[in-house]
């Protein structure tokens, strides 16, 4: 997979792990502050720069009035460059709830384009699963929650407090909220549909497979 790391403008407490050497690194608007704090020179700087407050040199500048968020601009550019695995920092812990929800939709956009995306926050990790399995070791702890995106999703959950065998999650009832790791290997398989999954950051990215 070709990775892309996108820095957004919300809160940021550090990298989960070192950035892969072959990753495309993009600073989206105020995300440039985070790359500067890391001493990291991004490959691309873009946005309308309403969050940053000034226009950096050698940046791609877009109007404030546009259909795409700055994060989505970064995603589209990276997809055009062949990236198919995305890590987002500064994407969960900001004052704008609407942008957080927009980032959830961005994960679904990536899934619909054959790519994977992960939002890495201060406390949580969020991703979208579709037609695949994600696994966690017995050392995982805390909460894992699943939310259906779209018409409905067929899901199997094993190794957590509340198992499910090819059950149905719907977008109008939070059946998948607040499941718990219980000290055994855990697996979540999304057979059909789109599912937003979130868990404690301390558990890492999990292991994904089709």
């Amino acid at each position: 997979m070709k990775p892309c790391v996108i820095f957004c403008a919300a809160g940021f407490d550090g990298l989960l792990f070192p950035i892969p050497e072959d990753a495309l690194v993009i600073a989206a608007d105020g995300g440039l502050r985070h790359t500067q704090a890391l001493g990291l020179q991004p490959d691309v700087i873009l946005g309308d720069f309403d969050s940053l407050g000034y226009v950096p040199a050698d940046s791609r500048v877009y109007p404030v009035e546009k259909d795409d968020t700055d994060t989505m601009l970064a995603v589209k550019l990276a997809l055009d460059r062949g990236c198919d695995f995305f890590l987002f920092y500064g994407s969960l812990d900001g004052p704008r709830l609407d942008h957080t929800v927009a980032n959830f939709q961005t994960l679904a956009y990536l899934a619909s384009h054959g790519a994977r995306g992960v939002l890495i926050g201060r406390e949580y990790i969020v991703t979208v699963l579709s037609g695949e399995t994600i696994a966690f070791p017995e050392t995982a702890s805390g909460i894992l929650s699943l939310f259906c995106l779209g018409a409905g999703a067929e899901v199997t959950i094993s190794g957590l407090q509340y198992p499910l065998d090819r059950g149905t999650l719907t977008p109008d009832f939070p059946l998948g909220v607040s499941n718990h790791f219980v000290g055994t290997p855990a697996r979540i398989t999304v057979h059909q549909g789109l599912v937003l999954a979130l868990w404690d950051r301390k558990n890492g990215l999990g292991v994904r497979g089709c």
Side-chain angles (χ1 to χ4, degrees):
M1 304 186 83
K2 180 172 175 54
C4 175
V5 181
I6 298 175
F7 289 87
C8 308
F12 172 70
D13 279 347
L15 299 173
L16 186 64
F17 46 74
I19 293 175
E21 291 184 2
D22 60 339
L24 174 67
V25 178
I26 302 177
D29 201 324
L32 181 63
R33 295 191 185 96
H34 304 321
T35 62
Q36 290 171 336
L38 293 169
L40 177 67
Q41 179 59 45
D43 299 301
V44 180
I45 304 169
L46 58 74
D48 55 30
F49 301 108
D50 59 347
S51 297
L52 190 62
Y54 69 92
V55 177
D58 301 320
S59 60
R60 296 174 179 239
V61 184
Y62 297 83
V64 173
E65 294 185 2
K66 58 188 184 304
D67 291 337
D68 294 319
T69 63
D70 292 331
T71 301
M72 183 60 80
L73 290 172
V75 163
K76 288 181 175 180
L77 183 149
L79 286 172
D80 286 343
R81 295 193 181 186
C83 295
D84 56 4
F85 180 66
F86 291 72
L87 297 176
F88 299 84
Y89 288 99
S91 55
L92 285 177
D93 302 293
R96 292 282 301 274
L97 178 60
D98 55 344
H99 277 278
T100 302
V101 175
N103 290 335
F104 295 162
Q105 289 190 312
T106 300
L107 294 179
Y109 179 89
L110 285 171
S112 71
H113 285 74
R116 292 172 174 170
V118 183
L119 310 179
I120 301 174
R122 290 169 170 164
E123 301 291 337
Y124 294 101
I125 288 176
V126 182
T127 194
V128 163
L129 303 172
S130 178
E132 61 182 319
T133 295
I134 188 167
F136 296 89
E138 64 274 7
T139 53
S141 61
I143 290 173
L144 183 144
S145 292
L146 304 174
F147 302 95
C148 176
L149 301 178
E154 183 182 357
V155 179
T156 293
I157 301 169
S158 62
L160 282 92
Q161 183 175 357
Y162 306 112
L164 193 62
D165 184 12
R166 300 189 80 98
T168 299
L169 299 184
T170 63
D172 59 355
F173 188 79
L175 179 64
V177 72
S178 296
N179 213 330
H180 294 263
F181 293 104
V182 291
T184 59
R187 292 171 62 88
I188 298 93
T189 300
V190 178
H191 306 282
Q192 295 180 3
L194 288 176
V195 170
L196 186 82
L198 67 88
W199 59 88
D200 295 294
R201 173 176 166 144
K202 63 186 177 183
N203 295 317
L205 298 183
V207 178
R208 296 170 76 152
C210 296

